[in-house]
Amino acid sequence: MNVLRKHWPLLLVLVCASAVGLLFVGSAAEGSQRAAKQCLWLAAGLGVMAAVAFVDYHLLLRRAWEIYGLLLLLLVLILFTRPISGSRSWFRLGFFSVQPSEFMKPALILLLACVLGSPGKRGRPVGLILPLALTLAPMALILRQPDLGTAGLFVPLMLAMLYVAGTEIRHLGMVVGGAGVGAGMMWWLVMKGYQRRRILAWLYPEQYGLRDAWQLRQSLTAIGSGGFWGKGLHAGALNKLGLIPVKETDLIYAVVCEEWGFWGGMMLLGFLAAATLLCVSVAARTRETTGRLVAAGAAALLGSQALLNLYVAVGLLPTTGVTLPFVSYGGSSMLSCYICAGLVLSVSEHERRGLS
Amino acid sequence: MRGRVLHLGLFFGAAFALVGGRLFQLQVLKADLYRQLADRARSWDELTPSRRGRIVDRKGRTLACDVPSFDLSVVPARLGLDLRREGWKEELRGVEFLPELARALGVERESLAARMEATVARAVRWGETSRPHVFFRGVEKPTWLSCRLLCDPSYEKAELDSLPRRARARKRKELLRRSRFPGVVCSTSLRRSYPRGKTACHVVGYLQLYNAGEADSLREHGLLLRFAPTRDDLVETLESKPEARELAESALEPGEEELTAHLLAARVRSLPQERRAAFAEAFGRWVVSTPKVELAEGERIWVESNKHLKDMRIGRRGIEAVENESLRGKHGFRVLMLQPGKRMDYLREEPPRPGSTVALTIDADLQRAMEHALERTGSEAMGAGVALDVRTGELLALASSPGFDPNWFVTPGSDEVSRVLKDEARKPLFNRAIQGLYPPASVFKVVVAAGALAQGTITPEMRCGCSGLIERGRGRFRCEGVHNDVAMERAVVVSCNIFFYLAGETLGADALASWSREFGFGSRTGVDLPDEKKGTVPDPDWKEMTLGEKWLSPTETYHFAIGQGFLCVTPLQVACMMCAFANGGRFPRPRVLQHTPEGWRRLRVSPKVLRLVREAMRRAVNDPDGTAYRAFHGEGGFSERFPAVAVAGKTGSAQHSGRGPTHSWFAGYAPANSPELAFAVIIEQGGKGGGAAAEAAAEFLSAYFEASPRPSARGGDER
C-alpha cells in the first residue's frame, strides 16, 4: 500500500498506456481473440510487477548470474528450433509462445548493475571489458535468430548504465566508437539483403521500390491521414482494410494515430514519456549505487524501446521490429516491461541507504 | 553521479519531444496531403479491356477474333514464399503442388515453373503481389474445370460475397484447407484466336505483350503509354503538332531516322526534369507522365505508378498492327475504392467500346490455295505468291512460305514462338511477298519489250539471229538455247536472251531504268501493309553514288535487260506490273483492306504496245514451244480441266548469289482474253521458271476457276 501511495503517478501512466494499448489491439485485431489474450497478459504483467516490487531486489541481484546464465542457455537452445515466420525467436508452449530474448533484458539490467555496482576496477578501461562481454554475448545470439531490433536495444541500455555508473567520458567514447565499427562490420557480415535494403530505402526512398519502403509508407500515410482529431476508434480505413502491416505489434502507434489523431498520439506519447521520466526520477532519488543502476537501466530500456518503436513508426529511423512497451500485443514483451517497472518499484522500496 | 542520471532524464525528455514535433508535422501541417494519399492507397483504377474487333476475309469469314479464354492466374502473396528475399525463385521451384499441376495441364514441370516465375517476378516488380496475375492462358475447358476444383477458391467472390462477413472468413479458411493448389486461381479473359491458323498469317499478323524493356522504361522514367499505341499514333502526333515534332527530333541522335516509342522513352529518360515535362505535354494524347506527386524534400512517400500496361497486347505485324487502333476499340476503366466493412465501391466507371470489324479483300479459300501451291514441292519450300483483281487492285491472295500460326503468340514464351523467332535460315515471320527482294530475271523481259516498242527503238517485225552466244569485246553473253531467227513475240515466247540484250542495248541503261520505274519497280506499291520494301532499280548514276564505280557498258546493260544484275523487285511489284499489262495500262495501288480507296496510275505506254506484249505472253503459255507450255498443258493439267480459259504469263529463272538452283518465277494474268486476275509466284531455288513456279501458278489458277466457272470460251485478245 505504501508503494501505491508513493508511486501512484507511475502506476497510473502505466495502466493508462496499457489500457490504450488494449483498446487499439482490439481495434487492430478485430475478430480475433487477441484482445482477450492481451487482457490476460496485462493481468499477469500487473501481478508480476507487484511480485517483483515486493521482493527485495538484493535477492534478485544475488541470483543475477544464475538468471543470466539460464537465459543465455535458452538463447542458445532456441537456435535449434524451427523458425517461425523466418526467425527463431520463439519457444512454442501449447497455446502460447515464449520469447526468451525479452526476459534477457531485465536479467541483463540486474547483472550489469551487479557488476558495475561492485567497487573493483571501476574507473579503469579494463573494468569495461566484463560489462561489454556480458552485453555482447546475448546480443550476438539474438542477432542469429535474427532479431535486429531486440538486439539493437542492448546498446543504449548498456551505454546508459555505463554512463550512470560513472565511466569516464573518454572510455565511453571508446565504447561508442567500437559500437560504430561493430555496426559497420554488421552491415557487411551479418545483415541480410532485405535488412540492408530497408535502411537504404529509408535513406533514399526515391530509388527504392514499393517493396522495400512499403511498411514505412503505409505507416506515415496512416498517421498523417488521422489529422488532428483522428477518424475515431474502429473507424481507421487503413487499419480496417489491413493496409498497415504488423499493426498489433510494431505499428500499433500508427493505428492509434490514425484513429485518435494528433491528440491521441500525443496522449500516448505523454504516458510513455512520463513513465520513462518517473523511472529516471526514482533512479535519481536512489542513493545506493546498485539500486540506482537497476532503476536507471530499467528506465533506459523502457525509454529507448519506446523511442525506437515510435521513431520507426513516424519515419525517423529505418524499419526495425520492436514492440511498443506496455502497448503492443505480445505476452513476453508485456511481462518483460512490467518486470522492469517492478524492478524500479522494488529499488524505491528496498533501498539500503546505509550501504551507499 | 546523480547529475548523470539527470542527463539521462534530459536526453529522454528531448527525444520524446522530437516525436511530438514530428507528429505535429505529419498530422497537423501535412494532414491534407496524407489524407489524399490514404484515399489513393485504398483505391486503384482497373482496366476493363475492350473486345478486339474481328478480321474477316472478303466473304466475311473470320480470320481473327476474340474468344473466351480459360486461364490460370497466380496470387504471388499466397504461394507461401518469402518474396522479400532473393531466394524465392529457388523456393518457387520447390513448391509442393507444381508436379501435380504440371501433370494436370500436360506440360513439363520446368516450363510451368519458368512461366510462373516470370509472372511472379513481374508482380513483385510492380508491387502487386496480392492480386491474381495470369500465367497460363488458354487452358482446355475440361482441364480448366477440373483444375477449378483444386485451385485456390478464396478469389471466387460471387460465392463468398453472399455470406456475412464473419462467415465469409470462416468459409474462406475452410475452402483454403481443401485446395490443393493454394495461390493458383482459375480465371477467364478474352483471348485472340485465329481459327484458320496459318492461312494469311503474314497479312493478318499477331498480337504480343509489350516487351519488358518497353514497358519498364516507360514505367520507370515518368512516361507511360496511355493505352496501346501504334506507330500511326506517334506519326499522327508528330504530324499534327509541330512542337512535338521538334521535340522528338531534338531527342534523336545522329544516324537515327526512325522514331519508335521505345527509343523516344529511352531518350526522354536522359533529359532533365523540365524538358521531360515538355514532352509529356506535347505528346499528351498517348503519353502521360506517371502520377508521381512531387513531394516535399525528405518526404519518404511516393505514389504508385499507373499499372495499365499489365496485360496489354499490341498488334505486331500485318493488319493487327496497321489497324490496331480500330480493332482495339477503347478500353474502359473503373476506379475502385475499398471501404472498411463494406463491399467495394466503384467511384467512376467508363465502359469499354468494342473494336470494329476489319474486312480484308483477301479470299480465304484462294489464299489457302496459294499457300498450298507454294508448298507443293514440300512444306520446307520458301517462296511467295501474290494474286490481285486487275479490275479493282484488290489483293485476293498474298502468301509467303514458310508461314507461322499466329495462335502460337497467344501464350507468351511458348516453345513454337521461340522456334519461329530463332529460325534465322528460313525466317517464317518475314513476308516474302512484300519484303523479299529478288532479281526478276526473264519476267522483266516484258518490260524491256514494252519499253523498246513504246520508245520505237524496236519494231514488232524487227528480227535478230540467235546463235546461243554473242561476244562484245572480251565478254561472252549466252542464251539458253539457239533460237535462230527471232522477233519480239517469239523472243518472249522462248525467252531468248540475245534478242533482249540487243533490245536493251538499243534503249541504253538510263532508258531501261526509267521504263522499270514506269512499271512500278524501285518504289513502294503503297500496299496497306507495314514494312513494304521498294527494291532497287540500278542506273549509271545510282552505281556511281552507292558503289562509287562506273557503269560497265554493255555488260551491265545486258544483265539489266534480262532482269539480272543489280535489279531487285518484290513479288508484289511483279504482280502489279502484270496487272497493268492485263488491264490496258493502269497501274494499281494494291490493297488488302476493303476500306482503302482504289488508286490507279496510267502508264505512258500505248494500248497497242501492251496488246503486242500480251499476245506474246499468251503464246508463252499456249504455244507448244513456249516456256510455260508444259506446266499448263500436261496430262490432266490446267488446260484439260479448263479448256475455255487461256492463261498468259512469263517465266523467269533468277540467278542469285547463293548456291543451288535458280529461283523459279512465273507471273501473268488470266483469263488471257478478258483478264480478271494478275499473279506472281516465286519459289526460291525452284529451278526453271517453267517448272516449279508455273506448276504452282497452274494449281492456284485451277482453284480460282473451279470456284468461279466460265460460261463460254472465247479465243484471242479482244481489246
Side-chain angles (χ1 to χ4, degrees):
Chain A
M1 284 308 113
N2 189 27
V3 175
L4 261 184
R5 210 164 34 243
K6 210 162 122 196
H7 289 292
W8 64 266
L10 178 60
L11 292 172
L12 184 68
V13 292
L14 290 185
V15 169
C16 281
S18 289
V20 172
L22 212 53
L23 270 182
F24 282 94
V25 167
S27 171
E30 195 190 354
S32 75
Q33 296 156 355
R34 293 198 165 179
K37 268 190 173 178
Q38 179 79 343
C39 248
L40 220 63
W41 294 128
L42 178 55
L46 290 170
V48 169
M49 177 175 68
V52 174
F54 282 113
V55 173
D56 185 349
Y57 69 99
H58 293 96
L59 281 175
L60 293 171
L61 282 175
R62 231 169 282 147
R63 293 269 168 268
W65 281 98
E66 284 88 336
I67 299 171
Y68 178 86
L70 180 71
L71 284 165
L72 209 58
L73 184 68
L74 286 179
L75 285 179
V76 172
L77 287 179
I78 209 164
L79 295 179
F80 297 100
T81 58
R82 266 170 59 103
I84 298 173
S85 63
S87 63
R88 301 181 174 85
S89 308
W90 306 88
F91 277 124
R92 217 165 230 179
L93 301 173
F95 80 107
F96 66 100
S97 322
V98 175
Q99 195 178 359
S101 55
E102 287 290 346
F103 297 103
M104 193 60 180
K105 295 174 193 166
L108 186 66
I109 293 173
L110 286 173
L111 189 58
L112 282 183
C114 203
V115 170
L116 293 170
S118 63
K121 300 192 186 73
R122 218 191 295 163
R124 279 193 287 155
V126 186
L128 290 177
I129 290 173
L130 187 59
L132 271 178
L134 291 176
T135 315
L136 288 178
M139 246 180 95
L141 289 171
I142 293 170
L143 276 177
R144 287 289 296 164
Q145 291 182 357
D147 184 351
L148 194 61
T150 309
L153 280 177
F154 285 46
V155 176
L157 168 66
M158 179 190 68
L159 288 178
M161 289 186 74
L162 285 176
Y163 185 72
V164 172
T167 314
E168 276 186 48
I169 297 296
R170 60 196 165 91
H171 295 161
L172 215 55
M174 277 162 57
V175 174
V176 173
V181 173
M185 276 167 63
M186 260 177 54
W187 176 272
W188 295 113
L189 300 176
V190 182
M191 279 204 196
K192 313 247 177 230
Y194 76 93
Q195 291 171 329
R196 255 179 251 171
R197 264 206 313 277
R198 273 187 198 166
I199 294 179
L200 290 173
W202 173 73
L203 288 173
Y204 309 106
E206 296 79 18
Q207 287 163 35
Y208 280 78
L210 301 169
R211 203 173 73 183
D212 298 310
W214 194 69
Q215 181 168 336
L216 172 65
R217 194 189 60 174
Q218 297 305 95
S219 169
L220 289 187
T221 308
I223 293 174
S225 67
F228 190 87
W229 294 111
K231 303 172 185 172
L233 190 61
H234 286 284
L238 268 65
N239 170 27
K240 291 298 171 183
L241 291 170
L243 293 174
I244 308 175
V246 287
K247 54 183 180 174
E248 307 98 10
T249 52
D250 301 354
L251 284 187
I252 188 88
Y253 193 61
V255 179
V256 176
C257 288
E258 189 192 11
E259 300 197 339
W260 271 3
F262 181 65
W263 71 268
M266 286 306 279
M267 188 175 71
L268 185 55
L269 183 68
F271 291 150
L272 292 168
T276 309
L277 294 179
L278 286 169
C279 291
V280 172
S281 80
V282 169
R285 266 181 274 136
T286 308
R287 302 261 166 105
E288 187 197 355
T289 314
T290 38
R292 183 163 62 226
L293 281 170
V294 169
L301 177 69
L302 295 178
S304 50
Q305 187 173 342
L307 282 173
L308 185 56
N309 178 286
L310 296 176
Y311 275 36
V312 167
V314 300
L316 293 174
L317 277 179
T319 304
T320 37
V322 292
T323 54
L324 190 57
F326 307 109
V327 181
S328 287
Y329 171 75
S332 300
S333 154
M334 184 70 100
L335 287 182
S336 135
C337 292
Y338 274 107
I339 289 174
C340 291
L343 285 177
V344 173
L345 295 177
S346 172
V347 167
S348 155
E349 279 303 290
H350 304 285
E351 185 195 355
R352 289 180 199 159
R353 308 232 155 168
L355 282 180
S356 109
Chain B
M1 293 296 127
R2 273 184 73 182
R4 291 199 166 190
V5 179
L6 289 179
H7 296 165
L8 205 62
L10 284 175
F11 167 76
F12 278 117
F16 275 107
L18 188 60
V19 178
R22 172 73 167 169
L23 221 51
F24 185 75
Q25 183 196 19
L26 293 176
Q27 295 195 287
V28 178
L29 299 180
K30 292 198 178 154
D32 285 338
L33 171 68
Y34 284 106
R35 263 188 217 116
Q36 283 172 23
L37 289 175
D39 279 350
R40 207 171 299 178
R42 63 196 172 107
S43 65
W44 64 87
D45 30 0
E46 205 173 71
L47 198 74
T48 28
S50 63
R51 191 188 184 100
R52 198 173 168 89
R54 288 191 307 149
I55 299 178
V56 298
D57 82 338
R58 64 187 295 124
K59 291 177 181 152
R61 288 170 295 197
T62 304
L63 296 173
C65 58
D66 267 10
V67 295
S69 164
F70 300 98
D71 310 329
L72 292 182
S73 304
V74 58
V75 184
R78 300 184 74 89
L79 285 174
L81 312 178
D82 189 351
L83 296 171
R84 286 175 311 177
R85 297 185 193 210
E86 302 299 339
W88 66 263
K89 288 183 180 170
E90 284 86 71
E91 279 184 61
L92 177 67
R93 280 170 203 267
V95 164
E96 276 171 36
F97 62 75
L98 265 189
E100 197 184 341
L101 186 59
R103 229 179 1 258
L105 295 170
V107 294
E108 289 287 314
R109 191 171 150 260
E110 260 316 295
S111 81
L112 183 72
R115 280 185 196 197
M116 227 185 217
E117 185 188 306
T119 313
V120 174
R122 214 155 41 124
V124 168
R125 208 164 55 233
W126 297 347
E128 286 203 328
T129 52
S130 48
R131 292 169 65 187
H133 298 263
V134 176
F135 72 96
F136 203 105
R137 259 171 215 287
V139 185
E140 294 289 323
K141 194 173 176 186
T143 316
W144 186 80
L145 286 173
S146 63
C147 277
R148 207 172 139 171
L149 297 176
L150 303 173
C151 278
D152 195 328
S154 52
Y155 281 81
E156 302 208 354
K157 293 188 95 76
E159 191 187 344
L160 290 168
D161 275 354
S162 58
L163 299 171
R165 204 149 51 91
R166 289 274 163 81
R168 200 188 309 163
R170 212 175 312 127
K171 175 87 177 170
R172 187 175 282 183
K173 251 183 211 150
E174 182 200 316
L175 286 169
L176 203 58
R177 247 202 321 278
R178 266 202 343 235
S179 85
R180 294 249 281 286
F181 307 143
V184 177
V185 181
C186 285
S187 54
T188 54
S189 64
L190 289 173
R191 172 174 68 88
R192 200 64 168 160
S193 163
Y194 302 88
R196 284 172 192 254
K198 286 188 179 184
T199 301
C201 54
H202 293 99
V203 177
V204 170
Y206 56 89
L207 297 183
Q208 255 184 341
L209 289 176
Y210 279 92
N211 61 44
E214 275 169 343
D216 279 356
S217 71
L218 290 169
R219 182 181 305 287
E220 283 167 19
H221 302 290
L223 281 179
L224 183 72
L225 303 184
R226 194 185 290 274
F227 294 127
T230 61
R231 223 175 41 180
D232 292 353
D233 248 350
L234 186 56
V235 170
E236 195 187 304
T237 313
L238 289 177
E239 275 168 6
S240 62
K241 285 186 166 182
E243 74 273 31
R245 158 126 242 141
E246 215 178 285
L247 271 172
E249 274 165 3
S250 70
L252 287 182
E253 276 174 18
E256 289 167 341
E257 311 170 23
E258 276 242 16
L259 188 69
T260 62
H262 185 66
L263 182 63
L264 183 64
R267 287 280 165 279
V268 170
R269 133 193 190 184
S270 56
L271 293 175
Q273 183 67 43
E274 57 289 357
R275 291 212 46 208
R276 221 188 282 177
F279 258 90
E281 203 179 314
F283 288 84
R285 206 172 95 67
W286 61 277
V287 178
V288 292
S289 51
T290 44
K292 211 175 199 175
V293 171
E294 283 299 325
L295 297 171
E297 40 95 28
E299 208 57 71
R300 293 171 186 100
I301 294 190
W302 57 95
V303 191
E304 300 181 24
S305 59
N306 206 327
K307 297 192 175 66
H308 280 159
L309 281 176
K310 183 157 61 171
D311 272 333
M312 304 301 300
R313 274 147 205 277
I314 181 171
R316 282 290 183 211
R317 275 163 206 264
I319 294 304
E320 292 275 31
V322 174
E323 289 291 301
N324 193 43
E325 283 273 275
S326 65
L327 282 170
R328 187 186 64 222
K330 195 158 165 272
H331 296 303
F333 67 92
R334 49 196 184 181
V335 182
L336 298 105
M337 188 180 244
L338 289 167
Q339 306 281 14
K342 290 187 220 148
R343 292 180 68 161
M344 224 177 290
D345 252 11
Y346 296 127
L347 292 186
R348 207 149 69 84
E349 190 167 8
E350 197 177 298
R353 180 167 55 73
S356 40
T357 299
V358 168
L360 303 185
T361 62
I362 299 286
D363 181 310
D365 290 338
L366 290 180
Q367 175 75 24
R368 182 75 208 105
M370 182 65 94
E371 284 161 9
H372 197 73
L374 290 178
E375 285 174 4
R376 65 197 298 281
T377 51
S379 60
E380 294 293 298
M382 293 183 268
V386 180
L388 71 164
D389 190 317
V390 301
R391 296 158 298 192
T392 58
E394 291 174 342
L395 285 158
L396 299 176
L398 185 109
S400 173
S401 181
F404 58 91
D405 187 339
N407 289 308
W408 292 338
F409 288 86
V410 171
T411 315
S414 69
D415 304 340
E416 290 95 342
V417 170
S418 51
R419 209 185 58 226
V420 162
L421 294 175
K422 277 188 199 131
D423 193 347
E424 275 299 314
R426 299 171 66 237
K427 294 200 171 84
L429 296 180
F430 184 61
N431 186 356
R432 289 172 164 77
I434 61 168
Q435 296 173 310
L437 293 175
Y438 307 95
S442 305
V443 176
F444 185 67
K445 286 172 183 167
V446 295
V447 174
V448 180
L453 286 172
Q455 213 167 311
T457 62
I458 64 166
T459 62
E461 295 76 30
M462 211 181 250
R463 293 170 172 278
C464 94
C466 165
S467 58
L469 181 79
I470 54 169
E471 294 185 33
R472 279 286 185 279
R474 276 176 300 162
R476 294 150 72 90
F477 302 91
R478 294 175 183 285
C479 185
E480 293 295 309
V482 179
H483 302 114
N484 299 321
D485 195 22
V486 291
M488 184 281 288
E489 185 179 294
R490 186 151 175 76
V492 170
V493 172
V494 298
S495 198
C496 176
N497 285 355
I498 307 286
F499 180 89
F500 284 100
Y501 291 148
L502 299 176
E505 201 171 20
T506 64
L507 280 169
D510 285 312
L512 274 175
S514 85
W515 281 111
S516 315
R517 294 196 191 98
E518 182 66 18
F519 278 92
F521 298 122
S523 58
R524 295 189 180 87
T525 62
V527 68
D528 38 14
L529 284 172
D531 305 322
E532 190 193 358
K533 289 270 190 299
K534 60 180 181 186
T536 311
V537 172
D539 61 25
D541 287 345
W542 171 86
K543 197 181 174 195
E544 189 87 50
M545 289 258 288
T546 50
L547 301 176
E549 287 169 19
K550 280 233 164 316
W551 184 266
L552 299 176
S553 194
T555 313
E556 286 177 336
T557 312
Y558 281 4
H559 286 159
F560 194 177
I562 60 161
Q564 292 284 169
F566 297 111
L567 183 64
C568 270
V569 303
T570 67
L572 178 63
Q573 285 172 333
V574 173
C576 289
M577 171 199 87
M578 282 300 175
C579 173
F581 273 106
N583 66 18
R586 289 191 306 151
F587 192 90
R589 188 176 77 179
R591 57 209 171 95
V592 294
L593 287 169
Q594 286 191 4
H595 64 71
T596 305
E598 277 186 44
W600 298 97
R601 175 169 62 87
R602 187 150 273 291
L603 299 186
R604 290 182 285 116
V605 188
S606 68
K608 193 176 149 236
V609 169
L610 291 174
R611 200 177 310 137
L612 286 168
V613 180
R614 272 207 302 268
E615 178 59 16
M617 283 199 275
R618 193 184 66 79
R619 283 171 176 258
V621 179
N622 297 300
D623 273 11
D625 47 1
T627 48
Y629 180 81
R630 270 227 307 238
F632 284 84
H633 296 264
E635 193 78 22
F638 181 84
S639 65
E640 269 182 32
R641 292 174 62 193
F642 305 97
V645 179
V647 176
K650 181 73 195 81
T651 58
S653 314
Q655 290 166 2
H656 49 88
S657 51
R659 269 191 272 162
T662 54
H663 294 331
S664 174
W665 271 107
F666 185 68
Y669 56 92
N673 48 5
S674 57
E676 295 171 10
L677 193 71
F679 58 83
V681 175
I682 181 169
I683 292 177
E684 288 181 23
Q685 309 200 342
K688 291 273 178 206
E695 282 162 17
E699 189 181 316
F700 168 73
L701 289 171
S702 303
Y704 176 78
F705 288 109
E706 223 158 67
S708 51
R710 305 295 96 185
S712 65
R714 278 178 298 170
D717 191 344
E718 290 175 356
R719 277 173 200 247

